[in-house]
Amino acid sequence: MTTATAAEPELVSGPTAGPFRRFTRRLVRQPLAFGSLLVIVLLVITALAAPLLAPMDPNATDLVARNQPPGGGHLLGTDDLGRDLLSRLIYGTRITLMAPLIAVGVGALIGVPAGLIAGFWGRTPDWLLSRLADAMLSLPSLVLAMAIVAARGPSTVNAMTAVGLAFSPRIFRVVRGATMSVRHEVFIDASRAIGCTTKRLIAVHVLPNVAAPLIVQATVLLGFGVLAEAGLSFLGVGVQPPEASWGVLLRRGFDNLYMAPFQSIPSGLAITVLILAFQFLGDGMRDSLGKELRRA
Amino acid sequence: MSTAREVVLRATGLTKRFTTRRNVLGRAVERLTAVEDVSFELRAGKTLALVGESGSGKSTTARLVTALEKPDAGTVEVCGTEWTALGRSALRRERRRMQMVFQDPYASLDPTKMVVHTVGEPLLVHEGVRGQERDRRVADLLERVGLSARHLHRYPYEFSGGQRQRIAIARALAAGPDIIVADEAVSALDVSTQAQVLNLLLDLQRDSGLAFLFISHDLGVVRQVADHVAVMHRGRLVESGPADEIYESPREAYTKSLLAAVPEVSPSRRRERAGLVTESSTGEVVG
């Protein structure tokens, strides 16, 4: 463990401080997690301030200056249509950050309640939801995405909603399994004996106790989301040209790899850093929660 | 008849069966009768001990009484209200009259909750008390069980077993119950902590006239707290009566063998008891 496990008791007086403050205090103390948080905050700022930061119009083509190497007027060079790569990278931050959040958000919105219901009640609801999840897992997610896009038209939101649907059985499984083990804990009976409603039992006692595996799964899926967006955009069902995302840039750079190898490096690095930041932040969040967990 | 002696808890003919095997169609083919036709009464301010070996149905009885399980037959009446006949939300409101303290203090507290939230839960659920008012009342409760306001914002992992059991007792008290069901509440604690927690329970009973349903396999412990003792064996009540009577002149062979299993320190008492055990066949002795 990186930090001392509550060696000195905190003598908090006054009104009850929220558990959230404790959580953030611990999170900030972990260098890797805090660094990742900073990276993500910086990227969010970049996305919001893109028009101010970008040196040029990301969609302005200049067919005379195609595939320019870095340097000169273009810090990261130009692509095969002569567009400024730095500007496209900066504007691309918007979709690249939004896309995995949509996917994981949709996945969690479906997977978490379903997992809680299946895990808590077991029996018939569990059987039904688990079979449904198995069926969804057996569908290739790309095919699912194409079907949704075919029905609703190509757009980033539609494509990522489809990816979220494909994520939901994974989240469901993690939440279901964790819920099943928490459901039989004595403290659940204790709270029921106090007179808690089932709703309160699930929301206040089960959910926080399944948070750790859920957070880890969610951050892994955020990383997958970044890649899924790139893949779907490449197939033309996600981001629509001339809009840019890091995935689009990477794919486009890949096409020109022999002519202009430098093109794929910045976006590739950026994606790597982003995925790593998601992972480290997730681990840090889990550890910040984990301090309260009972040690057997 | 004084009000202090009214019956606060009455169990009548409680029976519970568990399905242990099902056939391919999901129909039960094998059942285990955990509790059969168990009846008892608990009066205000008194302690009834339910004793028996593990697997005798004590804990199932506790779960039936506290409505954590539904009995297959029989009724539970708490302070004149028949719990077994109540609807869900009515039962939830009534639950504050009878609270429970569990065996394992490491498992009975939600590890993600600070003490103030654990102990304050009954206050929130039944009275809607929150914020500083809640903090103040939880601090009072903690002081009643021998902890202090400085423990408000700690998590369960920061406490020892005995302290956790005190927290669990504070939580039970928070609801303002008439009855506390203690299911092996001191069995998981070491002996000196056991004595402290038992004394705490006795003090609370003296101060606020609580009735205890005390479930234990440990007759040594039961002796210290119980007014009445009911002995369970294989899901049935085999003998019940005032504690002194049961300890001094047990009628059933099973009760005798159970008593014989209590470790005795004093040599004179050991000799005394040797005479007692000889009558019961050794084959019946339960460990």
Side-chain angles (χ1 to χ4, degrees), chain B residues 135-147:
Chain B
D135 288 7
R136 202 177 48 71
R137 287 183 58 181
V138 170
D140 285 348
L141 286 162
L142 289 180
E143 260 150 45
R144 275 180 78 187
V145 299
L147 297 169

Side-chain angles (χ1 to χ4, degrees), chain A residues 5-6 8 29 32 42 52 62 66-67 85 98 126 172 176 186 199 208 212 244 246 251 265 282 290 295:
Chain A
T5 319
E8 73 280 16
R29 271 194 219 130
L32 213 54
L42 275 177
L52 299 176
D62 180 358
R66 290 168 54 196
N67 291 331
L85 276 174
M98 203 178 62
D126 179 33
F172 165 82
R176 169 181 173 268
V186 181
K199 212 169 81 190
W246 295 357
R251 282 298 185 171
I265 294 172
R295 288 163 300 176

Side-chain angles (χ1 to χ4, degrees), chain A residues 151-186:
Chain A
R152 307 213 42 197
S155 81
T156 317
V157 175
N158 286 347
M160 294 325 282
T161 307
V163 174
L165 269 178
F167 282 174
S168 62
R170 292 161 195 266
I171 293 178
F172 165 82
R173 282 191 165 184
V174 168
V175 173
R176 169 181 173 268
T179 303
M180 287 179 107
S181 70
V182 171
R183 174 182 62 156
H184 295 295
E185 292 278 357
V186 181

Side-chain angles (χ1 to χ4, degrees), chain A residues 12-90:
Chain A
V12 192
S13 50
T16 302
F20 185 70
R21 272 191 32 205
R22 222 173 227 252
F23 171 77
T24 37
R25 215 182 305 153
R26 285 200 193 112
L27 187 67
V28 169
R29 271 194 219 130
Q30 301 176 58
L32 213 54
F34 185 57
S36 302
L37 188 66
L38 279 184
V39 167
I40 291 170
V41 168
L42 275 177
L43 287 175
V44 170
I45 293 172
T46 308
L48 292 176
L52 299 176
L53 291 172
M56 291 171 196
D57 180 352
N59 300 326
T61 55
D62 180 358
L63 293 177
V64 185
R66 290 168 54 196
N67 291 331
Q68 293 280 306
H74 304 283
L75 204 58
L76 296 178
T78 58
D79 69 1
D80 55 344
L81 292 175
R83 295 176 291 198
D84 180 53
L85 276 174
L86 178 61
S87 304
R88 286 180 73 70
L89 197 65
I90 290 171

Side-chain angles (χ1 to χ4, degrees), chain B residues 84 123 139 166 193 205 208 218 244 254 260:
Chain B
T84 32
L123 299 174
R166 287 171 190 271
T193 319
Q205 183 167 49
S208 40
D218 186 341
D244 291 339
Y254 178 71

